[in-house]
Amino acid sequence: MKILSDTAETRPGLRRSLSVWQAVGLSVALMAPSMAANINPQQTAAAAGRAVPLAFLLSAVGVLLVAYGFVKLCQYYQHAGSVYAFVGATLGPRAGVISGIGLLGTYTFYAVVTSSAAGTLGTAFLTQVGIWPDPPSWGPFVLTAVALAGAWLLSVLPARRGTSTLLAVEGATIAVILLVTVVIGVRLVAGNAPGGARFTMAVFVPETGLSGVFLGAVFGFLSFAGFEAAATLGEETHDPKRNIPRAILGTAIFGGLYFVVVTAVEMMAFGSDAGAFHDSPSLLGDLGSRYAGAWVGDVISVGAAISAFGCCLACVVGGSRLLYALGRDAVGGRGIGRTSSRGTPVAAVSAVTAAAALIILVCALFFGATASDTFAWSGSIGTLILLVIYLLTTVGAILLLFVKRRMRVPGWHLVFPVGALAVLGYTVYVNVVPYPTEGPARWFPVVAAAVLALAVILVLSAPAYARRVGERLTSVDGGA
């Protein structure tokens, strides 16, 4: 039976107008390398110690193993629902809807993460340059709101404009970061770095044991999260069987090299000052000021803030496509399954943006959270959900390739998805065993599990919906 057409003419349609570079733009912008390299390693260091680059290397290996499954699935299916369609077509419509709702939850939590990061980094930059010298504790939420509003506005424009904007902003910031990384690396090797910092491979040696490295790898996976976002543009990209896999694999490979090298240089550059590393609001901003000049640090800091906004935009774009696909396959071209005259799912965009704003509002009003808190809390929750979704997708890829044998691949390729299951499974395990008993961390697995449980309840309470989804996933032409 053939599944998931390239054209899907009988459904309310997205317009096929994007190039491979615009698909790359969505994946890179959602991964947000410049933002992630500035604010994620600090959280990894809390669990992995100096072995931050090792945690990112582990995450890179896991992501590349997962990417194998996504590449093969994208070569066989093209659908705006990404994992919702992949899992639904391989493991059944109920599992597909559960994974779709789960990934929608991840994108929504990541919209909170990135808008909060934009607010925090933007406020830090304004304070640094003297424009807003003494902002109140709620100050970053002002820029957070601006980021969400801007993401909504750009998301309702045709995706061609939005993804072009994402790629341009992120590309410029990455170029500056790579230049500064080279400058720092040269000084480390030459032995004339500030504070006696020097080049050393000790940053790849675990101090807290392997379990600590896997625990810290959660924020490594957070940094890579979004590498698969191009899959949500399967109905909007030209030649999707070729271009979407190229975009996903290329983003994963670039991200692996980038994060391992940059985090290694960051950790070496801070030397023995672990406190300064952990407390830095912008790692490369601080290092740019220290190694190249204050203005370089300012450029990186503002670039990271813009990157965070670009990532927020990508979260809203990716999440809205998933919500649109779920709605379209449930009720056809009505409500969230409807597109505007511009060919964009405005209702779905508005729903995702409103949900992110509500999460921030609840955290701030009822739990006294700052923008830094909403960043860390939502990042942990969203990543735990994402790891489970990656597990389901990988199982679906195994079923498609090695059980049903819908595509011709060498038998030894089974090592890739099996390796992905091992890395993902152990990462989830060390984050819940032993169960955290203190601080906000004790709620992260609860909230993540609640999102997935809600998805299960919705599916079980609406069997007719799952049946309609299954009919739609198997009623149109497509396949390899």
Side-chain angles (χ1 to χ4, degrees):
M1 187 178 298
K2 294 183 178 181
I3 304 174
L4 305 181
S5 169
D6 286 1
T7 53
E9 294 175 357
T10 60
R11 293 183 276 179
L14 298 168
R15 297 175 181 175
R16 197 174 293 286
S17 60
L18 305 179
S19 69
V20 62
W21 289 109
Q22 289 167 319
V24 169
L26 180 62
S27 285
V28 171
L30 186 51
M31 196 168 68
S34 53
M35 177 198 73
N38 270 285
I39 60 177
N40 287 352
Q42 298 92 315
Q43 306 298 326
T44 301
R50 288 199 69 192
V52 170
L54 180 60
F56 273 83
L57 177 60
L58 179 65
S59 301
V61 171
V63 165
L64 287 171
L65 293 173
V66 172
Y68 174 84
F70 270 99
V71 165
K72 294 303 182 182
L73 288 167
C74 286
Q75 288 174 342
Y76 198 82
Y77 306 125
Q78 298 81 50
H79 193 281
S82 182
V83 298
Y84 152 57
F86 299 159
V87 175
T90 54
L91 302 182
R94 288 186 175 181
V97 174
I98 291 170
S99 66
I101 294 174
L103 188 58
L104 175 61
T106 290
Y107 279 142
T108 303
F109 278 111
Y110 282 177
V112 174
V113 170
T114 51
S115 60
S116 299
T120 300
L121 291 168
T123 302
F125 168 74
L126 295 177
T127 301
Q128 219 172 329
V129 298
I131 296 176
W132 200 0
D134 189 23
S137 59
W138 50 263
F141 283 124
V142 175
L143 295 183
T144 297
V146 171
L148 279 176
W152 176 87
L153 180 61
L154 289 180
S155 295
V156 299
L157 298 175
R160 175 186 293 273
R161 300 179 188 178
T163 51
S164 296
T165 301
L166 302 179
L167 193 57
V169 170
E170 191 64 26
T173 310
I174 290 172
V176 175
I177 287 177
L178 290 177
L179 180 60
V180 171
T181 300
V182 170
V183 170
I184 296 173
V186 168
R187 296 192 64 180
L188 288 170
V189 172
N192 61 0
R198 60 186 178 85
F199 180 85
T200 174
M201 296 300 290
V203 296
F204 289 95
V205 178
E207 295 178 326
T208 58
L210 192 59
S211 61
V213 175
F214 271 93
L215 189 63
V218 163
F219 278 87
F221 279 107
L222 170 61
S223 301
F224 281 96
F227 82 95
E228 82 295 339
T232 65
L233 299 178
E235 296 178 38
E236 298 174 81
T237 304
H238 295 298
D239 193 8
K241 291 183 181 181
R242 180 169 178 261
N243 287 334
I244 296 299
R246 289 169 62 195
I248 291 174
L249 186 59
T251 302
I253 293 173
F254 164 76
L257 294 172
Y258 172 88
F259 284 123
V260 172
V261 171
V262 171
T263 56
V265 170
E266 287 175 334
M267 185 56 73
M268 294 177 200
F270 272 93
S272 59
D273 196 350
F277 183 94
H278 185 271
D279 295 337
S280 173
S282 175
L283 289 174
L284 288 162
D286 288 346
L287 290 175
S289 298
R290 185 186 304 180
Y291 280 78
W295 68 271
V296 175
D298 292 341
V299 168
I300 293 178
S301 293
V302 73
I306 296 172
S307 170
F309 167 71
C311 187
C312 180
L313 173 55
C315 289
V316 174
V317 169
S320 65
R321 265 50 179 188
L322 268 173
L323 184 57
Y324 160 80
L326 286 165
R328 179 191 62 188
D329 289 344
V331 297
R334 303 190 303 275
I336 57 175
R338 184 180 70 251
T339 56
S340 69
S341 59
R342 295 176 179 266
T344 55
V346 176
V349 169
S350 300
V352 171
T353 307
L358 180 62
I359 291 172
I360 294 172
L361 193 63
V362 169
C363 289
L365 294 181
F366 295 96
F367 298 97
T370 64
S372 296
D373 291 330
T374 55
F375 166 82
W377 299 354
S378 295
S380 296
I381 295 168
T383 302
L384 287 175
I385 299 173
L386 185 65
L387 293 177
V388 175
I389 302 307
Y390 283 170
L391 283 167
L392 288 174
T393 305
T394 303
V395 171
I398 292 175
L399 185 62
L400 177 77
L401 299 173
F402 303 102
V403 178
K404 296 182 178 179
R405 296 191 176 277
R406 296 288 180 83
M407 299 177 68
R408 291 184 178 180
V409 296
W412 67 268
H413 280 199
L414 181 62
V415 68
F416 298 127
V418 169
L421 293 179
V423 174
L424 294 172
Y426 189 69
T427 303
V428 173
Y429 173 79
V430 298
N431 276 274
V432 296
V433 179
Y435 192 85
T437 58
E438 297 181 355
R442 68 184 185 275
W443 295 107
F444 300 159
V446 172
V447 177
V451 172
L452 295 172
L454 177 62
V456 172
I457 293 170
L458 288 174
V459 169
L460 294 179
S461 63
Y465 169 58
R467 187 166 54 252
R468 286 196 301 272
V469 168
E471 291 171 354
R472 287 181 178 273
L473 289 177
T474 58
S475 64
V476 293
D477 290 336

